[in-house]
mmCIF file with all atom_site columns, all heavy atoms in Angstrom:
data_model
loop_
_atom_site.group_PDB
_atom_site.id
_atom_site.type_symbol
_atom_site.label_atom_id
_atom_site.label_alt_id
_atom_site.label_comp_id
_atom_site.label_asym_id
_atom_site.label_entity_id
_atom_site.label_seq_id
_atom_site.pdbx_PDB_ins_code
_atom_site.Cartn_x
_atom_site.Cartn_y
_atom_site.Cartn_z
_atom_site.occupancy
_atom_site.B_iso_or_equiv
_atom_site.pdbx_formal_charge
_atom_site.auth_seq_id
_atom_site.auth_comp_id
_atom_site.auth_asym_id
_atom_site.auth_atom_id
_atom_site.pdbx_PDB_model_num
ATOM 1   N N   . SER A 1 1  ? 0.821  -1.210 0.000   1.00 92.00 ? 21 SER A N   1
ATOM 2   C CA  . SER A 1 1  ? 0.000  0.000  0.000   1.00 92.00 ? 21 SER A CA  1
ATOM 3   C C   . SER A 1 1  ? 0.855  1.261  0.000   1.00 92.00 ? 21 SER A C   1
ATOM 4   O O   . SER A 1 1  ? 0.627  2.174  -0.791  1.00 92.00 ? 21 SER A O   1
ATOM 5   C CB  . SER A 1 1  ? -0.928 -0.009 1.220   1.00 92.00 ? 21 SER A CB  1
ATOM 6   O OG  . SER A 1 1  ? -1.733 1.145  1.259   1.00 92.00 ? 21 SER A OG  1
ATOM 7   N N   . HIS A 1 2  ? 1.855  1.295  0.856   1.00 92.00 ? 22 HIS A N   1
ATOM 8   C CA  . HIS A 1 2  ? 2.650  2.512  0.977   1.00 92.00 ? 22 HIS A CA  1
ATOM 9   C C   . HIS A 1 2  ? 3.543  2.763  -0.238  1.00 92.00 ? 22 HIS A C   1
ATOM 10  O O   . HIS A 1 2  ? 3.816  3.915  -0.587  1.00 92.00 ? 22 HIS A O   1
ATOM 11  C CB  . HIS A 1 2  ? 3.499  2.456  2.250   1.00 92.00 ? 22 HIS A CB  1
ATOM 12  C CG  . HIS A 1 2  ? 2.708  2.723  3.490   1.00 92.00 ? 22 HIS A CG  1
ATOM 13  N ND1 . HIS A 1 2  ? 2.139  1.731  4.236   1.00 92.00 ? 22 HIS A ND1 1
ATOM 14  C CD2 . HIS A 1 2  ? 2.376  3.880  4.107   1.00 92.00 ? 22 HIS A CD2 1
ATOM 15  C CE1 . HIS A 1 2  ? 1.495  2.250  5.268   1.00 92.00 ? 22 HIS A CE1 1
ATOM 16  N NE2 . HIS A 1 2  ? 1.615  3.552  5.206   1.00 92.00 ? 22 HIS A NE2 1
ATOM 17  N N   . MET A 1 3  ? 4.002  1.691  -0.890  1.00 93.00 ? 23 MET A N   1
ATOM 18  C CA  . MET A 1 3  ? 4.794  1.899  -2.099  1.00 93.00 ? 23 MET A CA  1
ATOM 19  C C   . MET A 1 3  ? 3.930  2.397  -3.252  1.00 93.00 ? 23 MET A C   1
ATOM 20  O O   . MET A 1 3  ? 4.453  2.905  -4.251  1.00 93.00 ? 23 MET A O   1
ATOM 21  C CB  . MET A 1 3  ? 5.516  0.611  -2.480  1.00 93.00 ? 23 MET A CB  1
ATOM 22  C CG  . MET A 1 3  ? 6.624  0.204  -1.508  1.00 93.00 ? 23 MET A CG  1
ATOM 23  S SD  . MET A 1 3  ? 7.880  1.484  -1.256  1.00 93.00 ? 23 MET A SD  1
ATOM 24  C CE  . MET A 1 3  ? 8.705  1.447  -2.844  1.00 93.00 ? 23 MET A CE  1
ATOM 25  N N   . GLY A 1 4  ? 2.604  2.265  -3.120  1.00 93.00 ? 24 GLY A N   1
ATOM 26  C CA  . GLY A 1 4  ? 1.726  2.875  -4.105  1.00 93.00 ? 24 GLY A CA  1
ATOM 27  C C   . GLY A 1 4  ? 1.876  4.381  -4.151  1.00 93.00 ? 24 GLY A C   1
ATOM 28  O O   . GLY A 1 4  ? 1.694  5.002  -5.211  1.00 93.00 ? 24 GLY A O   1
ATOM 29  N N   . PHE A 1 5  ? 2.210  4.998  -3.023  1.00 93.00 ? 25 PHE A N   1
ATOM 30  C CA  . PHE A 1 5  ? 2.432  6.450  -3.013  1.00 93.00 ? 25 PHE A CA  1
ATOM 31  C C   . PHE A 1 5  ? 3.670  6.826  -3.829  1.00 93.00 ? 25 PHE A C   1
ATOM 32  O O   . PHE A 1 5  ? 3.730  7.923  -4.389  1.00 93.00 ? 25 PHE A O   1
ATOM 33  C CB  . PHE A 1 5  ? 2.567  6.945  -1.573  1.00 93.00 ? 25 PHE A CB  1
ATOM 34  C CG  . PHE A 1 5  ? 1.265  7.006  -0.830  1.00 93.00 ? 25 PHE A CG  1
ATOM 35  C CD1 . PHE A 1 5  ? 0.882  5.996  0.029   1.00 93.00 ? 25 PHE A CD1 1
ATOM 36  C CD2 . PHE A 1 5  ? 0.410  8.080  -1.011  1.00 93.00 ? 25 PHE A CD2 1
ATOM 37  C CE1 . PHE A 1 5  ? -0.322 6.038  0.708   1.00 93.00 ? 25 PHE A CE1 1
ATOM 38  C CE2 . PHE A 1 5  ? -0.799 8.153  -0.337  1.00 93.00 ? 25 PHE A CE2 1
ATOM 39  C CZ  . PHE A 1 5  ? -1.174 7.115  0.524   1.00 93.00 ? 25 PHE A CZ  1
ATOM 40  N N   . VAL A 1 6  ? 4.639  5.930  -3.887  1.00 94.00 ? 26 VAL A N   1
ATOM 41  C CA  . VAL A 1 6  ? 5.806  6.182  -4.738  1.00 94.00 ? 26 VAL A CA  1
ATOM 42  C C   . VAL A 1 6  ? 5.376  6.240  -6.204  1.00 94.00 ? 26 VAL A C   1
ATOM 43  O O   . VAL A 1 6  ? 5.808  7.113  -6.966  1.00 94.00 ? 26 VAL A O   1
ATOM 44  C CB  . VAL A 1 6  ? 6.883  5.103  -4.521  1.00 94.00 ? 26 VAL A CB  1
ATOM 45  C CG1 . VAL A 1 6  ? 8.051  5.302  -5.476  1.00 94.00 ? 26 VAL A CG1 1
ATOM 46  C CG2 . VAL A 1 6  ? 7.372  5.129  -3.074  1.00 94.00 ? 26 VAL A CG2 1
ATOM 47  N N   . LEU A 1 7  ? 4.509  5.309  -6.613  1.00 93.00 ? 27 LEU A N   1
ATOM 48  C CA  . LEU A 1 7  ? 3.989  5.339  -7.981  1.00 93.00 ? 27 LEU A CA  1
ATOM 49  C C   . LEU A 1 7  ? 3.205  6.620  -8.237  1.00 93.00 ? 27 LEU A C   1
ATOM 50  O O   . LEU A 1 7  ? 3.307  7.216  -9.317  1.00 93.00 ? 27 LEU A O   1
ATOM 51  C CB  . LEU A 1 7  ? 3.093  4.126  -8.231  1.00 93.00 ? 27 LEU A CB  1
ATOM 52  C CG  . LEU A 1 7  ? 3.790  2.766  -8.395  1.00 93.00 ? 27 LEU A CG  1
ATOM 53  C CD1 . LEU A 1 7  ? 2.763  1.655  -8.474  1.00 93.00 ? 27 LEU A CD1 1
ATOM 54  C CD2 . LEU A 1 7  ? 4.673  2.764  -9.637  1.00 93.00 ? 27 LEU A CD2 1
ATOM 55  N N   . LEU A 1 8  ? 2.418  7.065  -7.262  1.00 92.00 ? 28 LEU A N   1
ATOM 56  C CA  . LEU A 1 8  ? 1.686  8.334  -7.409  1.00 92.00 ? 28 LEU A CA  1
ATOM 57  C C   . LEU A 1 8  ? 2.641  9.493  -7.639  1.00 92.00 ? 28 LEU A C   1
ATOM 58  O O   . LEU A 1 8  ? 2.443  10.320 -8.531  1.00 92.00 ? 28 LEU A O   1
ATOM 59  C CB  . LEU A 1 8  ? 0.845  8.608  -6.160  1.00 92.00 ? 28 LEU A CB  1
ATOM 60  C CG  . LEU A 1 8  ? -0.476 7.868  -5.960  1.00 92.00 ? 28 LEU A CG  1
ATOM 61  C CD1 . LEU A 1 8  ? -1.187 8.423  -4.740  1.00 92.00 ? 28 LEU A CD1 1
ATOM 62  C CD2 . LEU A 1 8  ? -1.355 7.982  -7.180  1.00 92.00 ? 28 LEU A CD2 1
ATOM 63  N N   . GLY A 1 9  ? 3.689  9.558  -6.814  1.00 92.00 ? 29 GLY A N   1
ATOM 64  C CA  . GLY A 1 9  ? 4.640  10.663 -6.938  1.00 92.00 ? 29 GLY A CA  1
ATOM 65  C C   . GLY A 1 9  ? 5.375  10.651 -8.260  1.00 92.00 ? 29 GLY A C   1
ATOM 66  O O   . GLY A 1 9  ? 5.582  11.706 -8.883  1.00 92.00 ? 29 GLY A O   1
ATOM 67  N N   . ILE A 1 10 ? 5.768  9.467  -8.719  1.00 93.00 ? 30 ILE A N   1
ATOM 68  C CA  . ILE A 1 10 ? 6.470  9.373  -10.003 1.00 93.00 ? 30 ILE A CA  1
ATOM 69  C C   . ILE A 1 10 ? 5.521  9.720  -11.149 1.00 93.00 ? 30 ILE A C   1
ATOM 70  O O   . ILE A 1 10 ? 5.911  10.376 -12.120 1.00 93.00 ? 30 ILE A O   1
ATOM 71  C CB  . ILE A 1 10 ? 7.049  7.959  -10.187 1.00 93.00 ? 30 ILE A CB  1
ATOM 72  C CG1 . ILE A 1 10 ? 8.142  7.695  -9.138  1.00 93.00 ? 30 ILE A CG1 1
ATOM 73  C CG2 . ILE A 1 10 ? 7.631  7.784  -11.584 1.00 93.00 ? 30 ILE A CG2 1
ATOM 74  C CD1 . ILE A 1 10 ? 8.672  6.280  -9.148  1.00 93.00 ? 30 ILE A CD1 1
ATOM 75  N N   . GLY A 1 11 ? 4.261  9.324  -11.032 1.00 89.00 ? 31 GLY A N   1
ATOM 76  C CA  . GLY A 1 11 ? 3.309  9.586  -12.102 1.00 89.00 ? 31 GLY A CA  1
ATOM 77  C C   . GLY A 1 11 ? 2.859  11.024 -12.192 1.00 89.00 ? 31 GLY A C   1
ATOM 78  O O   . GLY A 1 11 ? 2.418  11.468 -13.252 1.00 89.00 ? 31 GLY A O   1
ATOM 79  N N   . ALA A 1 12 ? 2.968  11.796 -11.121 1.00 87.00 ? 32 ALA A N   1
ATOM 80  C CA  . ALA A 1 12 ? 2.500  13.183 -11.140 1.00 87.00 ? 32 ALA A CA  1
ATOM 81  C C   . ALA A 1 12 ? 3.447  14.131 -11.869 1.00 87.00 ? 32 ALA A C   1
ATOM 82  O O   . ALA A 1 12 ? 3.088  15.280 -12.132 1.00 87.00 ? 32 ALA A O   1
ATOM 83  C CB  . ALA A 1 12 ? 2.265  13.687 -9.722  1.00 87.00 ? 32 ALA A CB  1
ATOM 84  N N   . VAL A 1 13 ? 4.653  13.690 -12.153 1.00 83.00 ? 33 VAL A N   1
ATOM 85  C CA  . VAL A 1 13 ? 5.628  14.318 -13.075 1.00 83.00 ? 33 VAL A CA  1
ATOM 86  C C   . VAL A 1 13 ? 6.013  15.766 -12.768 1.00 83.00 ? 33 VAL A C   1
ATOM 87  O O   . VAL A 1 13 ? 6.518  16.446 -13.651 1.00 83.00 ? 33 VAL A O   1
ATOM 88  C CB  . VAL A 1 13 ? 5.169  14.216 -14.556 1.00 83.00 ? 33 VAL A CB  1
ATOM 89  C CG1 . VAL A 1 13 ? 4.966  12.771 -14.967 1.00 83.00 ? 33 VAL A CG1 1
ATOM 90  C CG2 . VAL A 1 13 ? 3.909  15.048 -14.823 1.00 83.00 ? 33 VAL A CG2 1
ATOM 91  N N   . ASP A 1 14 ? 5.799  16.279 -11.580 1.00 86.00 ? 34 ASP A N   1
ATOM 92  C CA  . ASP A 1 14 ? 6.325  17.604 -11.271 1.00 86.00 ? 34 ASP A CA  1
ATOM 93  C C   . ASP A 1 14 ? 7.347  17.500 -10.139 1.00 86.00 ? 34 ASP A C   1
ATOM 94  O O   . ASP A 1 14 ? 7.505  16.462 -9.519  1.00 86.00 ? 34 ASP A O   1
ATOM 95  C CB  . ASP A 1 14 ? 5.205  18.596 -10.928 1.00 86.00 ? 34 ASP A CB  1
ATOM 96  C CG  . ASP A 1 14 ? 4.502  18.265 -9.622  1.00 86.00 ? 34 ASP A CG  1
ATOM 97  O OD1 . ASP A 1 14 ? 4.779  17.184 -9.058  1.00 86.00 ? 34 ASP A OD1 1
ATOM 98  O OD2 . ASP A 1 14 ? 3.680  19.077 -9.171  1.00 86.00 ? 34 ASP A OD2 1
ATOM 99  N N   . ALA A 1 15 ? 8.066  18.603 -9.904  1.00 89.00 ? 35 ALA A N   1
ATOM 100 C CA  . ALA A 1 15 ? 9.183  18.578 -8.960  1.00 89.00 ? 35 ALA A CA  1
ATOM 101 C C   . ALA A 1 15 ? 8.725  18.200 -7.559  1.00 89.00 ? 35 ALA A C   1
ATOM 102 O O   . ALA A 1 15 ? 9.403  17.449 -6.846  1.00 89.00 ? 35 ALA A O   1
ATOM 103 C CB  . ALA A 1 15 ? 9.876  19.934 -8.943  1.00 89.00 ? 35 ALA A CB  1
ATOM 104 N N   . LEU A 1 16 ? 7.569  18.712 -7.132  1.00 92.00 ? 36 LEU A N   1
ATOM 105 C CA  . LEU A 1 16 ? 7.097  18.462 -5.772  1.00 92.00 ? 36 LEU A CA  1
ATOM 106 C C   . LEU A 1 16 ? 6.740  16.988 -5.571  1.00 92.00 ? 36 LEU A C   1
ATOM 107 O O   . LEU A 1 16 ? 7.092  16.392 -4.548  1.00 92.00 ? 36 LEU A O   1
ATOM 108 C CB  . LEU A 1 16 ? 5.885  19.350 -5.480  1.00 92.00 ? 36 LEU A CB  1
ATOM 109 C CG  . LEU A 1 16 ? 5.420  19.426 -4.026  1.00 92.00 ? 36 LEU A CG  1
ATOM 110 C CD1 . LEU A 1 16 ? 6.537  19.939 -3.126  1.00 92.00 ? 36 LEU A CD1 1
ATOM 111 C CD2 . LEU A 1 16 ? 4.187  20.319 -3.913  1.00 92.00 ? 36 LEU A CD2 1
ATOM 112 N N   . SER A 1 17 ? 6.064  16.406 -6.546  1.00 91.00 ? 37 SER A N   1
ATOM 113 C CA  . SER A 1 17 ? 5.659  15.003 -6.396  1.00 91.00 ? 37 SER A CA  1
ATOM 114 C C   . SER A 1 17 ? 6.862  14.067 -6.498  1.00 91.00 ? 37 SER A C   1
ATOM 115 O O   . SER A 1 17 ? 6.928  13.059 -5.791  1.00 91.00 ? 37 SER A O   1
ATOM 116 C CB  . SER A 1 17 ? 4.625  14.639 -7.454  1.00 91.00 ? 37 SER A CB  1
ATOM 117 O OG  . SER A 1 17 ? 5.165  14.733 -8.755  1.00 91.00 ? 37 SER A OG  1
ATOM 118 N N   . LEU A 1 18 ? 7.816  14.388 -7.371  1.00 93.00 ? 38 LEU A N   1
ATOM 119 C CA  . LEU A 1 18 ? 9.024  13.568 -7.455  1.00 93.00 ? 38 LEU A CA  1
ATOM 120 C C   . LEU A 1 18 ? 9.814  13.638 -6.152  1.00 93.00 ? 38 LEU A C   1
ATOM 121 O O   . LEU A 1 18 ? 10.372 12.640 -5.694  1.00 93.00 ? 38 LEU A O   1
ATOM 122 C CB  . LEU A 1 18 ? 9.892  14.026 -8.632  1.00 93.00 ? 38 LEU A CB  1
ATOM 123 C CG  . LEU A 1 18 ? 9.344  13.754 -10.036 1.00 93.00 ? 38 LEU A CG  1
ATOM 124 C CD1 . LEU A 1 18 ? 10.237 14.383 -11.091 1.00 93.00 ? 38 LEU A CD1 1
ATOM 125 C CD2 . LEU A 1 18 ? 9.210  12.254 -10.289 1.00 93.00 ? 38 LEU A CD2 1
ATOM 126 N N   . SER A 1 19 ? 9.846  14.827 -5.548  1.00 93.00 ? 39 SER A N   1
ATOM 127 C CA  . SER A 1 19 ? 10.490 14.975 -4.246  1.00 93.00 ? 39 SER A CA  1
ATOM 128 C C   . SER A 1 19 ? 9.768  14.134 -3.206  1.00 93.00 ? 39 SER A C   1
ATOM 129 O O   . SER A 1 19 ? 10.396 13.479 -2.367  1.00 93.00 ? 39 SER A O   1
ATOM 130 C CB  . SER A 1 19 ? 10.500 16.450 -3.831  1.00 93.00 ? 39 SER A CB  1
ATOM 131 O OG  . SER A 1 19 ? 11.030 16.604 -2.532  1.00 93.00 ? 39 SER A OG  1
ATOM 132 N N   . GLY A 1 20 ? 8.428  14.132 -3.257  1.00 93.00 ? 40 GLY A N   1
ATOM 133 C CA  . GLY A 1 20 ? 7.651  13.320 -2.324  1.00 93.00 ? 40 GLY A CA  1
ATOM 134 C C   . GLY A 1 20 ? 7.902  11.834 -2.516  1.00 93.00 ? 40 GLY A C   1
ATOM 135 O O   . GLY A 1 20 ? 7.948  11.070 -1.538  1.00 93.00 ? 40 GLY A O   1
ATOM 136 N N   . ALA A 1 21 ? 8.061  11.390 -3.774  1.00 94.00 ? 41 ALA A N   1
ATOM 137 C CA  . ALA A 1 21 ? 8.331  9.976  -4.039  1.00 94.00 ? 41 ALA A CA  1
ATOM 138 C C   . ALA A 1 21 ? 9.668  9.561  -3.440  1.00 94.00 ? 41 ALA A C   1
ATOM 139 O O   . ALA A 1 21 ? 9.789  8.476  -2.847  1.00 94.00 ? 41 ALA A O   1
ATOM 140 C CB  . ALA A 1 21 ? 8.318  9.718  -5.549  1.00 94.00 ? 41 ALA A CB  1
ATOM 141 N N   . MET A 1 22 ? 10.691 10.405 -3.590  1.00 94.00 ? 42 MET A N   1
ATOM 142 C CA  . MET A 1 22 ? 11.997 10.104 -2.998  1.00 94.00 ? 42 MET A CA  1
ATOM 143 C C   . MET A 1 22 ? 11.893 10.059 -1.476  1.00 94.00 ? 42 MET A C   1
ATOM 144 O O   . MET A 1 22 ? 12.435 9.149  -0.829  1.00 94.00 ? 42 MET A O   1
ATOM 145 C CB  . MET A 1 22 ? 13.020 11.158 -3.413  1.00 94.00 ? 42 MET A CB  1
ATOM 146 C CG  . MET A 1 22 ? 13.663 10.929 -4.771  1.00 94.00 ? 42 MET A CG  1
ATOM 147 S SD  . MET A 1 22 ? 14.650 9.411  -4.873  1.00 94.00 ? 42 MET A SD  1
ATOM 148 C CE  . MET A 1 22 ? 15.866 9.707  -3.592  1.00 94.00 ? 42 MET A CE  1
ATOM 149 N N   . LEU A 1 23 ? 11.188 11.031 -0.904  1.00 95.00 ? 43 LEU A N   1
ATOM 150 C CA  . LEU A 1 23 ? 11.062 11.067 0.555   1.00 95.00 ? 43 LEU A CA  1
ATOM 151 C C   . LEU A 1 23 ? 10.259 9.868  1.067   1.00 95.00 ? 43 LEU A C   1
ATOM 152 O O   . LEU A 1 23 ? 10.560 9.335  2.140   1.00 95.00 ? 43 LEU A O   1
ATOM 153 C CB  . LEU A 1 23 ? 10.397 12.373 0.984   1.00 95.00 ? 43 LEU A CB  1
ATOM 154 C CG  . LEU A 1 23 ? 10.435 12.684 2.484   1.00 95.00 ? 43 LEU A CG  1
ATOM 155 C CD1 . LEU A 1 23 ? 11.869 12.759 2.986   1.00 95.00 ? 43 LEU A CD1 1
ATOM 156 C CD2 . LEU A 1 23 ? 9.700  13.979 2.788   1.00 95.00 ? 43 LEU A CD2 1
ATOM 157 N N   . GLN A 1 24 ? 9.261  9.445  0.299   1.00 94.00 ? 44 GLN A N   1
ATOM 158 C CA  . GLN A 1 24 ? 8.478  8.277  0.700   1.00 94.00 ? 44 GLN A CA  1
ATOM 159 C C   . GLN A 1 24 ? 9.344  7.017  0.706   1.00 94.00 ? 44 GLN A C   1
ATOM 160 O O   . GLN A 1 24 ? 9.205  6.167  1.601   1.00 94.00 ? 44 GLN A O   1
ATOM 161 C CB  . GLN A 1 24 ? 7.286  8.091  -0.249  1.00 94.00 ? 44 GLN A CB  1
ATOM 162 C CG  . GLN A 1 24 ? 6.455  6.847  0.006   1.00 94.00 ? 44 GLN A CG  1
ATOM 163 C CD  . GLN A 1 24 ? 5.636  6.918  1.286   1.00 94.00 ? 44 GLN A CD  1
ATOM 164 O OE1 . GLN A 1 24 ? 5.758  7.836  2.073   1.00 94.00 ? 44 GLN A OE1 1
ATOM 165 N NE2 . GLN A 1 24 ? 4.762  5.931  1.489   1.00 94.00 ? 44 GLN A NE2 1
ATOM 166 N N   . MET A 1 25 ? 10.257 6.882  -0.245  1.00 94.00 ? 45 MET A N   1
ATOM 167 C CA  . MET A 1 25 ? 11.142 5.717  -0.254  1.00 94.00 ? 45 MET A CA  1
ATOM 168 C C   . MET A 1 25 ? 12.066 5.721  0.963   1.00 94.00 ? 45 MET A C   1
ATOM 169 O O   . MET A 1 25 ? 12.269 4.689  1.609   1.00 94.00 ? 45 MET A O   1
ATOM 170 C CB  . MET A 1 25 ? 11.952 5.683  -1.561  1.00 94.00 ? 45 MET A CB  1
ATOM 171 C CG  . MET A 1 25 ? 11.145 5.247  -2.766  1.00 94.00 ? 45 MET A CG  1
ATOM 172 S SD  . MET A 1 25 ? 12.162 4.824  -4.190  1.00 94.00 ? 45 MET A SD  1
ATOM 173 C CE  . MET A 1 25 ? 12.601 6.440  -4.795  1.00 94.00 ? 45 MET A CE  1
ATOM 174 N N   . ILE A 1 26 ? 12.622 6.881  1.273   1.00 95.00 ? 46 ILE A N   1
ATOM 175 C CA  . ILE A 1 26 ? 13.496 6.979  2.442   1.00 95.00 ? 46 ILE A CA  1
ATOM 176 C C   . ILE A 1 26 ? 12.699 6.703  3.714   1.00 95.00 ? 46 ILE A C   1
ATOM 177 O O   . ILE A 1 26 ? 13.115 5.920  4.583   1.00 95.00 ? 46 ILE A O   1
ATOM 178 C CB  . ILE A 1 26 ? 14.149 8.372  2.498   1.00 95.00 ? 46 ILE A CB  1
ATOM 179 C CG1 . ILE A 1 26 ? 15.043 8.594  1.273   1.00 95.00 ? 46 ILE A CG1 1
ATOM 180 C CG2 . ILE A 1 26 ? 14.963 8.530  3.780   1.00 95.00 ? 46 ILE A CG2 1
ATOM 181 C CD1 . ILE A 1 26 ? 15.509 10.026 1.119   1.00 95.00 ? 46 ILE A CD1 1
ATOM 182 N N   . SER A 1 27 ? 11.541 7.342  3.818   1.00 95.00 ? 47 SER A N   1
ATOM 183 C CA  . SER A 1 27 ? 10.708 7.208  5.011   1.00 95.00 ? 47 SER A CA  1
ATOM 184 C C   . SER A 1 27 ? 10.246 5.775  5.205   1.00 95.00 ? 47 SER A C   1
ATOM 185 O O   . SER A 1 27 ? 10.365 5.204  6.297   1.00 95.00 ? 47 SER A O   1
ATOM 186 C CB  . SER A 1 27 ? 9.501  8.146  4.898   1.00 95.00 ? 47 SER A CB  1
ATOM 187 O OG  . SER A 1 27 ? 8.570  7.902  5.921   1.00 95.00 ? 47 SER A OG  1
ATOM 188 N N   . HIS A 1 28 ? 9.722  5.179  4.145   1.00 93.00 ? 48 HIS A N   1
ATOM 189 C CA  . HIS A 1 28 ? 9.216  3.812  4.265   1.00 93.00 ? 48 HIS A CA  1
ATOM 190 C C   . HIS A 1 28 ? 10.342 2.828  4.565   1.00 93.00 ? 48 HIS A C   1
ATOM 191 O O   . HIS A 1 28 ? 10.136 1.850  5.291   1.00 93.00 ? 48 HIS A O   1
ATOM 192 C CB  . HIS A 1 28 ? 8.486  3.394  2.988   1.00 93.00 ? 48 HIS A CB  1
ATOM 193 C CG  . HIS A 1 28 ? 7.922  2.015  3.053   1.00 93.00 ? 48 HIS A CG  1
ATOM 194 N ND1 . HIS A 1 28 ? 8.578  0.915  2.539   1.00 93.00 ? 48 HIS A ND1 1
ATOM 195 C CD2 . HIS A 1 28 ? 6.767  1.544  3.602   1.00 93.00 ? 48 HIS A CD2 1
ATOM 196 C CE1 . HIS A 1 28 ? 7.858  -0.167 2.753   1.00 93.00 ? 48 HIS A CE1 1
ATOM 197 N NE2 . HIS A 1 28 ? 6.754  0.174  3.394   1.00 93.00 ? 48 HIS A NE2 1
ATOM 198 N N   . GLY A 1 29 ? 11.531 3.083  4.019   1.00 93.00 ? 49 GLY A N   1
ATOM 199 C CA  . GLY A 1 29 ? 12.666 2.217  4.328   1.00 93.00 ? 49 GLY A CA  1
ATOM 200 C C   . GLY A 1 29 ? 12.962 2.172  5.808   1.00 93.00 ? 49 GLY A C   1
ATOM 201 O O   . GLY A 1 29 ? 13.215 1.100  6.380   1.00 93.00 ? 49 GLY A O   1
#
């Protein structure tokens, strides 16, 4: 479920969402 947010961030294609995807990977790790 939580890695789905990484897909959301990558799919939103702007700087803020890509930053969120990276932070979600670090956070979830």
Side-chain angles (χ1 to χ4, degrees):
S21 180
H22 284 93
M23 291 304 289
F25 285 99
V26 176
L27 286 173
L28 282 186
I30 294 174
V33 302
D34 68 352
L36 191 59
S37 64
L38 291 174
S39 176
M42 277 297 300
L43 191 59
Q44 176 71 353
M45 285 194 283
I46 297 169
S47 171
H48 181 263

